[in-house]
């Protein structure tokens, strides 16, 4: 019988995932767990320390997006087995993207693997295509501003003194750069890809894999499940194109209709708008702490979902935890949990033309905005922190 008291996390792989890991690890420390952070960039320099830390029956790994579980050479203990597999260490992997991004890892046999998905439709996908892998729902959570001693800052800027009326933190990828993934192919393929994208523009509530399957089956009625998985993995660029398209359309609709939007992230200079004076560029890639600082100085934190149709995004909960009003397109999960105008504010991708009026109305009612801020802050503090997610994971440990 196992008694897990030691946890391995990874850092310096993907910055945002490192931030999530540190917030979660802080909670596990308070529960009495010993924590080891493996520095992915240090590679072999950390392997001896890791080897001494691992003990079968006492240690588990918690990671995101298969970091540390993707055949990294410096984590191999034998020619074919990782140090975790050879020592019978349970691994818990949280996927913050659609599982189709991880077809290679999921299709391989990773011993003692349990997967957590951030969208309930992703759970259905896992149960359909990867039946042998235990899979559970674990929504994303919001980020705090923490110091080196893991103390949380609660020194908030008052609503009326916040610098940014509408802020959006995300990179913008120039669409022609994404199109390079398929413009080199035959016209038949190019037309096929654009047909899927045009369908999603008209049906923005449709999950990506569902739309892709519809068109693949139209062309290949006898396609097998394994062939479908391979098709999905081969069309990943459609996900990036689709989410970027709607990200751009949302911001463009606002700025071209008189709403000033402060955008934080790379690439926004490539978004063509009629009123560039309303698009306030703060171009560069930001780390997670900088993003939190910006949200703490923002009245309305704009979000477009990365096509999670039955899940959430950390931008929503981070806004709530840092006393900004989260303005987001919806999902089944979000609309089950939250009330429009009480917890946050919803807009519809199908009706972007109404968004500018909605934003101006929100800014024109500061008393209502403050009520939303205080209510959503208290609720997220109780339900949507990484400490909450650590408590959920503890049930499996």
């Amino acid at each position: 019988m196992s008694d897990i008291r030691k946890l391995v996390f990874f850092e310096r792989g993907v910055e945002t995932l490192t931030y999530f890991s540190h917030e979660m690890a802080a909670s596990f420390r308070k529960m009495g767990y010993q924590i080891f952070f493996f520095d992915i960039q240090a590679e072999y320099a950390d392997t001896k320390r890791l080897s001494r830390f691992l003990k079968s029956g006492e240690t588990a790994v918690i990671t995101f997006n298969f970091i540390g579980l993707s055949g990294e050479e410096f984590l191999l203990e034998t020619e074919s087995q990782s140090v975790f597999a050879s020592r019978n260490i349970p691994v818990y992997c949280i996927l913050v993207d659609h599982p189709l991004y991880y077809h290679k890892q999921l299709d391989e046999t990773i011993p003692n693997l349990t997967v957590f998905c951030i969208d309930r439709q992703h759970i259905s996908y896992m149960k359909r295509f990867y039946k042998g892998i235990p899979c559970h729902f674990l929504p994303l959570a919001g980020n705090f501003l923490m110091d080196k001693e893991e103390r949380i800052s609660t020194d908030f800027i008052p609503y009326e003194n916040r610098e940014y009326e509408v802020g959006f933190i995300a990179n913008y990828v120039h669409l022609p750069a994404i199109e390079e993934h398929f413009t080199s192919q035959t016209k038949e393929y190019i037309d096929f890809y654009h047909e899927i994208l045009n369908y999603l523009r008209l049906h923005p509530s449709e999950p990506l894999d569902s739309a892709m399957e519809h068109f693949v089956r139209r062309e290949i009625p006898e396609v097998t499940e394994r062939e479908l998985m391979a098709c999905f993995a081969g069309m990943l660029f459609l996900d990036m194109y689709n989410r970027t398209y709607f990200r751009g359309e949302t911001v463009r609709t606002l700025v071209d209709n008189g709403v000033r939007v402060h955008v934080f992230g790379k690439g926004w200079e490539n978004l063509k708008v009629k009123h560039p004076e309303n698009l306030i560029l703060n171009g560069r890639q930001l780390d997670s702490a900088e993003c939190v600082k910006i949200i703490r100085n923002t009245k309305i934190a704009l979000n477009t979902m990365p096509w999670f149709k039955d899940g959430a995004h950390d931008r929503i909960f981070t806004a709530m935890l840092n006393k900004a009003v989260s303005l987001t397109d919806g999902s089944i999960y979000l609309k089950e949990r939250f009330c429009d105008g009480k917890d946050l504010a919803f807009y519809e991708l199908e009706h972007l033309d109404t968004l500018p009026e909605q934003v101006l109305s929100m800014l024109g009612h500061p008393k209502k905005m403050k009520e939303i801020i205080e209510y959503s802050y208290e609720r997220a503090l109780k339900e949507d922190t990484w400490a909450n997610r650590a408590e959920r994971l503890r049930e499996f440990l």
Side-chain angles (χ1 to χ4, degrees):
M1 184 173 179
S2 66
D3 182 21
I4 303 298
R5 302 307 303 168
K6 304 170 77 175
L7 299 175
V8 176
F9 289 88
F10 295 92
E11 62 183 351
R12 296 214 303 159
V14 177
E15 191 279 330
T16 53
L17 304 183
T18 297
Y19 201 88
F20 296 169
S21 297
H22 275 281
E23 287 213 29
M24 198 183 299
S27 299
F28 278 115
R29 281 195 190 95
K30 292 176 183 177
M31 299 177 200
Y33 288 85
Q34 296 179 52
I35 305 297
F36 180 92
F37 267 95
F38 186 96
D39 186 343
I40 283 290
Q41 293 188 23
E43 298 186 352
Y44 291 97
D46 258 5
T47 53
K48 287 185 179 179
R49 291 174 54 238
L50 175 66
S51 181
R52 290 193 297 268
F53 184 82
L54 295 177
K55 189 170 182 181
S56 180
E58 295 182 11
T59 313
V61 175
I62 297 177
T63 188
F64 291 86
N65 289 1
F66 285 100
I67 294 172
L69 306 178
S70 297
E72 292 89 345
E73 286 188 8
F74 47 86
L75 289 171
L76 294 180
E77 192 156 66
T78 68
E79 188 174 330
S80 60
Q81 276 197 319
S82 76
V83 64
F84 309 122
S86 65
R87 301 196 189 190
N88 200 32
I89 304 296
V91 290
Y92 301 89
C93 183
I94 304 164
L95 301 185
V96 303
D97 296 298
H98 196 292
L100 63 85
Y101 277 80
Y102 304 101
H103 171 60
K104 179 178 180 295
Q105 292 92 333
L106 290 166
D107 203 38
E108 296 173 349
T109 300
I110 298 178
N112 304 308
L113 172 67
T114 300
V115 167
F116 296 86
C117 291
I118 62 172
D119 184 299
R120 292 181 300 197
Q121 290 177 352
H122 297 176
I123 303 289
S124 300
Y125 185 93
M126 286 289 300
K127 289 183 177 179
R128 175 182 174 185
F129 291 112
Y130 307 101
K131 295 181 176 67
I133 301 175
C135 185
H136 308 276
F137 179 54
L138 187 79
L140 285 170
N143 295 332
F144 291 111
L145 191 63
M146 300 175 68
D147 63 19
K148 292 181 179 179
E149 282 70 44
E150 297 179 345
R151 292 174 302 200
I152 296 168
S153 171
T154 55
D155 184 19
F156 297 109
I157 299 172
Y159 173 83
E160 55 273 8
N161 296 338
R162 296 197 168 197
E163 182 176 356
Y164 314 117
E165 289 194 325
V166 181
F168 187 33
I169 303 173
N171 293 325
Y172 178 77
V173 184
H174 200 203
L175 291 177
I178 305 175
E179 287 179 346
E180 289 177 4
H181 286 277
F182 53 91
T183 51
S184 60
Q185 301 189 37
T186 65
K187 183 178 183 303
E188 183 181 14
Y189 273 106
I190 295 170
D191 290 344
F192 179 72
Y193 297 144
H194 278 293
E195 197 171 3
I196 297 172
L197 292 170
N198 289 335
Y199 176 83
L200 288 168
R201 290 177 187 178
L202 294 173
H203 304 88
S205 297
E206 182 87 8
L208 176 69
D209 55 284
S210 172
M212 291 195 298
E213 180 172 359
H214 170 78
F215 285 94
V216 170
R217 287 197 179 279
R218 187 194 66 185
E219 300 298 318
I220 316 172
E222 68 280 7
V223 65
T224 67
E225 294 286 89
R226 289 198 63 80
E227 288 168 342
L228 261 183
M229 287 190 288
C231 285
F232 292 158
M235 294 191 288
L236 280 178
F237 52 84
L238 296 183
D239 180 51
M240 177 59 71
Y241 190 101
N242 187 53
R243 68 168 74 178
T244 299
Y245 169 80
F246 277 99
R247 186 173 288 179
E249 286 301 296
T250 301
V251 172
R252 181 187 289 113
T253 299
L254 288 170
V255 302
D256 283 347
N257 287 277
V259 179
R260 287 165 60 87
V261 180
H262 295 260
V263 288
F264 299 86
K266 296 192 301 183
W268 285 103
E269 67 278 2
N270 295 313
L271 181 67
K272 304 304 179 187
V273 296
K274 295 176 184 176
H275 292 281
E277 69 276 10
N278 290 330
L279 184 65
I280 317 302
L281 302 175
N282 298 271
R284 64 189 179 91
Q285 188 155 343
L286 305 171
D287 64 31
S288 296
E290 290 172 314
C291 292
V292 175
K293 289 176 183 177
I294 289 164
I295 289 174
R296 292 163 71 93
N297 202 15
T298 299
K299 294 179 178 178
I300 297 176
L302 181 65
N303 176 58
T304 60
M305 294 284 284
W307 228 250
F308 304 154
K309 297 304 173 185
D310 198 1
H313 192 275
D314 56 282
R315 277 190 293 258
I316 296 167
F317 301 127
T318 299
M320 297 168 76
L321 287 171
N322 291 280
K323 297 199 173 185
V325 175
S326 178
L327 174 61
T328 181
D329 56 318
S331 74
I332 298 169
Y333 170 74
L334 287 172
K335 290 187 175 181
E336 281 180 8
R337 283 200 57 199
F338 299 119
C339 179
D340 186 19
K342 184 176 182 181
D343 303 289
L344 42 68
F346 287 118
Y347 67 89
E348 303 294 336
L349 294 177
E350 294 93 334
H351 304 290
L352 284 179
D353 57 310
T354 66
L355 183 58
E357 183 180 349
Q358 179 183 358
V359 170
L360 293 173
S361 176
M362 290 170 66
L363 293 171
H365 293 83
K367 182 180 177 182
K368 176 64 174 175
M369 295 280 279
K370 292 178 187 178
E371 290 174 357
I372 295 173
I373 283 169
E374 293 304 323
Y375 184 85
S376 65
Y377 171 73
E378 293 297 333
R379 183 161 184 196
L381 201 58
K382 292 177 182 176
E383 302 174 10
D384 294 300
T385 67
W386 283 111
N388 296 129
R389 307 305 180 244
E391 286 286 355
R392 170 68 172 146
L393 285 172
R394 188 183 188 183
E395 298 172 17
F396 295 88
L397 299 177

